[in-house]
Every structure is written in structure tokens, then in C-alpha cells.
Amino acid sequence: MHRRSTMEKPRVRFAPSPTGYLHIGGARTALFNWLWARKTGGTFVLRIEDTDQARSTDASTQVIIDSLRWLGLDWDEGPGVGGPHGPYFQMQRLDLYRAHADRLVAEGKAYRCYTTREELEAMKAKLPEGKKRDGFVYPRIWRDRPQSDWLEGQPYVVRFKSPSDGATEFDDKVFGTIRSPNASLDDFVLLRSDGVPLYNFGAVVDDVTMGITLVGRGSDHIINTPKQILLYRALGAPVPEFAHLPMMLTPDGKKMSKRLADQQGIDVPVEVYRDKGWLPDALLNYIARFGWSSGDQEIFTRDELVAHFDWDHCGKDDGRYDKKKSLWVSFEHLRKLDDDAYAAAVIPFLAASGINVAPSDPRLIPAVRTIRPRAQRLCDAAEMLAFYFVDAPVMDAAVVAKFLTADAKAQLAEVAAVLDALPAFDEASVGAAFEGWLAARSLEIKTVAQPARVALTGKGASPGLFEVMAVLGREVTVRRLRAAADVAA
RNA sequence: GGCCCCAUCGUCUAACGGUUAGGACAUCGGCCUCUCACGUCGGUAAUACGGGUUCAAAUCCCGUUGGGGUCACCA
């Protein structure tokens, strides 16, 4: 059997089915393929596998495309950009699958099967209890029937004539040699009775006709690979290389379904990361380091990922999503932004919570500087910034009750008076005045800081008191201190 | 259950026969300190188990156990 030459420029693809959002595991598959294409000067193809008509939707296609664009995983051929091997939607390639299926039938490598779905169900029902779900294989009723037996006019599926002896073997780029006995293969269906191909057939016909040289995908597809290799051979096509990636699991080691992940606070759809204020490069960094490594390096720019990526350093074992580490990666990328970029990035997140801040607002950059070491995502940043930009901060009842005591309120009134009289209101001046007043009253800062913080921010935790005051300005600072001092006990 | 795959700190991983088994996140403690963070210094923590092969095994082989994947006219 001939194989793809490793000398030619790689052609890789990402082939999602549009049945929902872009899953974070899918994003990682897309990323690894994209990295390989970009590193090698190859071609990255996007193909939409929309043959599951019951579940595929145009809206989902759009969501997936939007997510890929947000991540910056641009494709060289596919929806929106076209290319020489289109169309890139499987439902627009039906003639192609039909032609290939007919050819396999003509060559005796596949056959028409007139057994109906109902008959199959009946056979399954007769199986002993335990095997009903697990062990049913189509009994190859139509496998060797002559063409004269065909029920013309009746619906039929096209099944592959799987070999029943020998074994199929391939050399995976990350798992090494994988070998499985052909006897475990069913005469699987290539074409449904309505002419729409099933996954294994559609993918192979497309990978052949699109000239794909390396198939990178999740390890849940290892089981499909022998079937597909048999199909490549039956079609007389070169077999591409395969690279399977271990799975991303939930923190307790389960398959990352949205429902299960939600329970554990893990976000599965890529769009949620965008909406919570991750930088695309940060998400790429986290999922790249998941199952792949480059020495001790943890934080990578996009270019570094492209430069360092290779299949040899991909691990084989499934991993579990680590939320804390993912947030740390997000934080590390956020900190690389300069203040202007950070401020511009956070404005939409402020707006999303109803707080409109103009890019030119003089409080914006100083305010942003105070929360930068504290926010791991932009949604957190917006939440921390809110008190600066509202008329009156939202007061946390628990901390109000704890810190705004009668004594504290009297002290805040005094502090307000002191600050109101200050000639300058920068952080240093405010700090000096505040500490001067503390000294005069023989008070420790600890006793007044929390009440003041609650008065100014409504919360028990915030950036430093004096930096907050400086950003707020004299008028607002004094007003909030007095408002807290006046609040009913 | 059949078939396939996997196995180093809690988690992500380094090691490609010879290391005091390294790093990062998390965690614990010190420093910093007006809170929360950030920063900084330090600590705890792993080769699943049992047999081989070898002068030498986390690394190679076999078995056990555990985990995952998959068994559709889904992808």
C-alpha cells in the first residue's frame, strides 16, 4: 500500500459537525492541526461535517466559525474563503460520496443491503439481554447476494465488505503502533438509504479528495482508524498519517459533557471563554499545554506555540481540566497587556454589566491599574472596577453591619473633613493626611481602614485605600465617607 | 462483555537505561501589608502493584489492578 510522502507540504483539517457550540476539546484539536500547518507552511482546511441532518444547524455552523475566528485559528480553505477542493460542507458533496460508493459496489468491495431498520431492530431484540446493547453485529445477509437479487425500487444502504481475518495496523504520530484484528469489524454502513454518507465514509472520501496528508483528532477516533484505513485502500488512495490526541476530561475524570462540566464549574463552549474575558491567546496557551509540553515552559505566545509545537512531545494519557491553573494562565496573559490595551479590553465587559465608561474617561487607566494584580479574567476585572464608575457603590450588607459601627461612622465623618480640606488629592497626599489624622487621634489604621473601604467600595476587599481614594477624587471620596457616616445604625 | 488505548506529586507535565525524580498550578508556612490580591522566600507531595531483562529500570518485557475510548442508517 502506498503512503503519503512526508516530503510534501502537510495538508491538515479540522472537521467539526455543527451540532452545537465549539467544544473546548474540539478547539484543541483545531489548534494542534493549525499549529502544525503554520509551523510547516502547510495548509489548514476547515470542513463542516453536517451529515447528521437531525442535529446539524446553520446557527451552530456560525457559532463554530465565530469561535474559531475569535481564537484566531484561520483556515486556508473552507467556508468563507473557498478553495480548490470545495464545497466544504458535506451536504453539498453528496454526488461525490454516491459516486465513490457505487464504484466500491461495482468493484465488489461494498454491497447494497436491503435489510431495513425495522428488521435490524427485530434481530437486536432477539439477542440475549446482556448483548442487546453491546454485541450486535449485522449478520452480513446481503454481503454475497448477486446483483440479480437487488430489490429494485426498494431503499437500501451501502455496506463495506470488511475483511474477517488478518489485522489492520497503523503508526500513530503520538501513540505509536496500533494494531487491531479485522475480525472485530462490522460490515459498517457507508451510505444511508437516503444517500447521505455516514461519518467514516464521508470523512475518508473528503480526506482523499481534499488531499489531506495528516489527520489530527481526538483519541476517541482511534477505534475508527482501522475502518478508515481499509476504506483508503479500497479506494486505491494513499493513507494519510494519523495523530491522535488524548482526551480532556472533567476534574473527576469523566468525559466533558456540558452538563457534567457545568456541575464542576468548568466551561466547555469556547464562546463562554470569550464572554468571560479570556484573551484568545491565553485559552490557546492553556489547551496547548494540555497534552503537550516544551520543557519547563508554561506561558507561550501564539508565535512560540507555532515555533515549538510538534507531535513528538504530545502525551498519550488523558488529562483532567484544572480550573485554577487555567485561570492562572489567563492572568499571566492579561498581565502582558499594557494599561491602554487592558483598559480598552475591559470596557465592553463593564458595558455588559450596564456601566458605560468612555475610553477617554480620566479615571479609567488609574482605576484599571489598581485592579490588574487582582483580576484573572476581564469579567472579574469589570466586577472589581464597577464601584469606581457608579453613583453609589452597591453595599454588601454583611460587611456594612460588621464594620460601620457607631464609632466607625464618627471616625469616617472626621476623616471626610480632613480630606475635604486637603490642597492636593493624589495618593501620596491622601495617605499622608490620613496617617497624620490617625496619629493625632492615636488610632491604628487597622481600625479605620475597613470601615473606610466599605464606605468607598461597598465591599470588604478592594485595592489599597489610598489608591482608591486618589482614583475616586476628592468629591466622590468625601461624599461616600459622609454617606456612610450618615447611614442609619 | 468484545476490541483498542493509557498509567510520574492533588492537577498539567519533564526524564527518551545511570538525575538527591525537575518545573508549573494548587496547597502549607515566612516576608510584605489597611482588606483582598500581586510579589518574594521556603516546605509538604509522585514513578499504581507484582514479576522478569540488565552491572544499572520511572524508562525495556510479561502479568495484575485501575482508568479512558468504542461497539448506530451519530460524529
Side-chain angles (χ1 to χ4, degrees), chain A residues 150-447:
Chain A
W150 287 2
L151 307 176
E152 291 301 344
Q154 294 296 308
Y156 62 88
V157 299
V158 176
R159 286 184 185 271
F160 185 63
K161 279 191 188 173
S162 293
S164 45
D165 56 2
T168 301
E169 183 177 290
F170 65 102
D171 192 33
D172 192 273
K173 298 280 279 181
V174 349
F175 281 87
T177 302
I178 294 177
R179 177 188 175 85
S180 69
N182 292 331
S184 63
L185 261 29
D186 194 4
D187 274 3
F188 54 95
V189 175
L190 268 24
L191 228 48
R192 296 173 169 94
S193 48
D194 62 2
V196 177
L198 252 56
Y199 167 71
N200 282 119
F201 190 57
V204 168
V205 170
D206 285 345
D207 286 339
V208 169
T209 54
M210 292 180 179
I212 300 301
T213 62
L214 184 151
V215 174
R217 78 233 296 198
S219 65
D220 49 338
H221 286 290
I222 285 179
I223 200 77
N224 289 316
T225 308
K227 295 181 188 175
Q228 296 181 2
I229 287 173
L230 258 12
L231 282 174
Y232 282 104
R233 291 178 182 160
L235 291 168
V239 178
E241 294 190 288
F242 293 95
H244 288 94
L245 274 2
M247 312 247 77
M248 286 181 94
L249 272 18
T250 61
D252 59 352
K254 299 297 176 197
K255 194 166 181 177
M256 210 142 61
S257 73
K258 188 168 184 320
R259 192 184 62 79
L260 214 56
D262 279 348
Q263 288 170 6
Q264 304 183 50
I266 304 298
D267 295 317
V268 177
V270 167
E271 64 211 82
V272 174
Y273 290 84
R274 179 195 60 201
D275 295 344
K276 287 189 176 177
W278 276 65
L279 261 17
D281 285 19
L283 219 213
L284 257 23
N285 189 159
Y286 180 67
I287 60 184
R289 270 293 282 103
F290 200 101
W292 171 81
S293 63
S294 180
D296 284 342
Q297 190 170 349
E298 294 287 350
I299 301 301
F300 295 82
T301 63
R302 178 179 301 250
D303 288 344
E304 287 173 328
L305 250 21
V306 170
H308 296 305
F309 179 77
D310 70 77
W311 302 104
D312 289 342
H313 288 86
C314 291
K316 301 175 186 176
D317 46 326
D318 297 339
R320 302 175 182 211
Y321 192 106
D322 184 337
K323 182 158 190 185
K324 293 240 178 86
K325 180 162 183 181
S326 77
L327 291 173
W328 173 76
V329 172
S330 172
F331 176 74
E332 289 298 316
H333 278 263
L334 237 24
R335 86 187 313 171
K336 292 196 290 190
L337 296 179
D338 61 38
D339 289 336
D340 289 329
Y342 200 112
V346 82
I347 284 176
F349 290 86
L350 250 2
S353 48
I355 297 168
N356 293 303
V357 180
S360 58
D361 190 316
R363 297 169 299 175
L364 181 58
I365 299 279
V368 160
R369 287 198 183 111
T370 70
I371 58 88
R372 288 194 61 156
R374 296 171 169 80
Q376 291 174 309
R377 308 111 107 198
L378 293 169
C379 67
D380 305 320
E383 197 182 317
M384 292 174 189
L385 285 168
F387 77 86
Y388 285 117
F389 301 101
V390 293
D391 288 336
V394 178
M395 305 302 279
D396 177 329
V399 289
V400 166
K402 181 173 180 187
F403 294 113
L404 291 189
T405 60
D407 283 353
K409 286 192 281 190
Q411 288 158 356
L412 293 184
E414 285 183 48
V415 170
V418 170
L419 296 179
D420 201 16
L422 270 187
F425 211 79
D426 55 279
E427 185 180 339
S429 307
V430 170
F434 194 96
E435 276 160 4
W437 172 80
L438 285 171
R441 298 279 274 97
S442 297
L443 286 168
E444 280 192 283
I445 190 166
K446 286 182 181 177
T447 61

Side-chain angles (χ1 to χ4, degrees), chain A residues 73-84:
Chain A
L73 301 181
D74 56 321
W75 49 98
D76 307 301
E77 295 177 24
V81 301

Side-chain angles (χ1 to χ4, degrees), chain A residues 87-108:
Chain A
Y88 294 90
F89 289 81
Q90 290 191 319
M91 285 307 285
Q92 295 171 24
R93 299 168 67 82
L94 261 24
D95 291 348
L96 198 58
Y97 311 122
R98 167 67 68 188
H100 282 78
D102 285 348
R103 202 183 100 209
L104 290 179
V105 171
E107 293 171 356

